[in-house]
Amino acid sequence: MGIDNLPPLRDVLDRHDLQARKSLGQNFLLDLNLTAKIARQAGDLSGHDILEIGPGPGGLTRGLLAEGARRVVALEKDHRCMAALAEIADANPGRLHVAEADALDFDPASVLNAPVKVVANLPYNVGTELLIRWLTPANWPPFWDSLTLMFQREVAQRIVAEPGDKHYGRLAILANWRCDTYIAMGVPPEAFTPAPKVHSAVVHVTALPKPRYPANQKTLERVVGAAFNQRRKMLRSSLKQVHPNPEEILEIAGIKPTSRAEEISIEGFCALAQALDAK
Ligand code: SAM
């Protein structure tokens, strides 16, 4: 037995004939000590609803429940996993709500009660798309207090990167403009069944009550997009995509026209977005 009185996950996979499918990004975590450790990276879970995307056979779900989550709302697309998840729900009355749904189409707001934390070993094929949606809601603060998410290590590095870092770009700016981010732990390929080719890492993201620097979100995304679209070019050239005379807005923002995107802080990009909106 593991962290609860349910059977080991290998038995669950065998009994429900859950062979991992590549098309669904299925790389399962079967070590319940590891899934409990990942759950702990989200901090205190008591008093929180947890949104989990892609519970699969339920290893992380069991970790979240064992670590004291008030309630877990789990969205899983693969019908084959429903029976295994129902066993976990039966063992934890009233604490696990499973929806058979595609996370890209399903809005979980109506089944979640604040405060909410999102914790997931995401399918890699939809992970970045979901992260960007969670980082760019219509209103801030978002519906979640924190995100604790597994990514390929390279994506994790792009989320936490700072200016001057080769991973610094659109994702780091989007994330760190309104959140604190850090890599909580690395996870080697052999921790998964089947083992993926690359290393993974768990990223922790905490929403700030308001942005670090004022800027219109859409303008900021436009400026950052143009700057990193041609990241080797000087800003006086790359920003022609957003303004006919980039030197003018660069001067208002107090940025050297010969600078390149990767040298500019989030504060600098916000100043550029404000200068653009003022013109
Ligand atoms: N959380 C489980 C674990 O740690 O062992 C499974 C992780 S596996 C990397 C990703 C899971 O997401 C799979 O169970 C897969 O079926 C599910 N999934 C894939 N695409 C999905 C989608 N669009 N919406 C909801 N679940 C999805």
Side-chain angles (χ1 to χ4, degrees):
M1 293 289 167
I3 51 176
D4 47 35
N5 290 326
L6 290 160
L9 282 158
R10 283 205 185 276
D11 295 359
V12 173
L13 292 193
D14 287 346
R15 208 155 30 84
H16 296 285
D17 204 15
L18 290 175
Q19 265 123 16
R21 288 201 182 140
K22 218 176 174 168
S23 59
L24 286 165
Q26 291 182 333
N27 299 94
F28 300 134
L29 293 171
L30 304 183
D31 175 352
L32 291 167
N33 291 317
L34 177 62
T35 61
K37 185 173 174 190
I38 294 169
R40 285 197 293 278
Q41 306 309 313
D44 182 15
L45 304 181
S46 64
H48 285 80
D49 273 14
I50 309 300
L51 173 62
E52 186 192 0
I53 310 296
L60 182 55
T61 319
R62 285 164 63 170
L64 291 164
L65 292 164
E67 292 301 315
R70 176 175 71 193
R71 206 166 69 102
V72 177
V73 171
L75 307 186
E76 173 57 61
K77 191 174 166 180
D78 186 355
H79 177 72
R80 298 179 309 152
C81 298
M82 292 303 130
L85 293 168
E87 287 170 7
I88 305 172
D90 288 346
N92 295 274
R95 292 178 65 210
L96 174 60
H97 175 92
V98 180
E100 186 178 340
D102 186 326
L104 294 171
D105 300 332
F106 184 87
D107 178 5
S110 61
V111 279
L112 287 166
N113 296 310
V116 173
K117 291 184 176 192
V118 181
V119 185
N121 174 15
L122 289 164
Y124 287 147
N125 47 356
V126 294
T128 314
E129 163 80 34
L130 284 171
L131 174 66
I132 290 173
R133 287 192 195 182
W134 289 328
L135 291 173
T136 55
N139 299 302
W140 197 267
F143 75 89
W144 47 271
D145 290 356
S146 67
L147 311 171
T148 306
L149 307 172
M150 181 88 73
F151 285 103
Q152 299 184 34
R153 184 168 63 189
E154 200 255 329
V155 176
Q157 287 166 332
R158 280 170 41 211
I159 296 166
V160 304
E162 302 205 358
D165 184 328
K166 70 171 179 182
H167 296 287
Y168 184 62
R170 178 171 171 246
L171 206 50
I173 293 165
L174 213 57
N176 294 285
W177 176 41
R178 300 190 283 199
C179 304
D180 283 330
T181 67
Y182 61 87
I183 294 183
M185 59 188 274
V187 184
E190 57 274 17
F192 298 86
T193 302
K197 288 201 178 68
V198 294
H199 278 258
S200 301
V202 175
V203 179
H204 188 73
V205 177
T206 314
L208 300 172
K210 61 185 181 64
R212 283 179 211 283
Y213 315 101
N216 174 280
Q217 182 190 309
K218 292 281 170 238
T219 316
L220 181 63
E221 281 186 52
R222 234 160 31 93
V223 173
V224 170
F228 282 98
N229 220 353
Q230 300 175 299
R231 62 186 291 146
R232 300 267 156 256
K233 288 202 173 168
M234 293 177 190
L235 291 175
R236 67 176 175 209
S237 160
S238 58
L239 292 186
K240 280 188 184 143
Q241 271 183 34
V242 293
H243 194 270
N245 184 4
E247 307 225 2
E248 198 182 332
I249 55 160
L250 284 160
E251 191 183 341
I252 299 171
I255 293 172
K256 274 197 306 203
T258 52
S259 315
R260 290 178 168 80
E262 61 209 23
E263 302 161 31
I264 306 301
S265 65
I266 298 177
E267 186 174 14
F269 278 112
C270 289
L272 276 170
Q274 286 201 297
L276 197 62
D277 279 338
K279 276 275 130 194

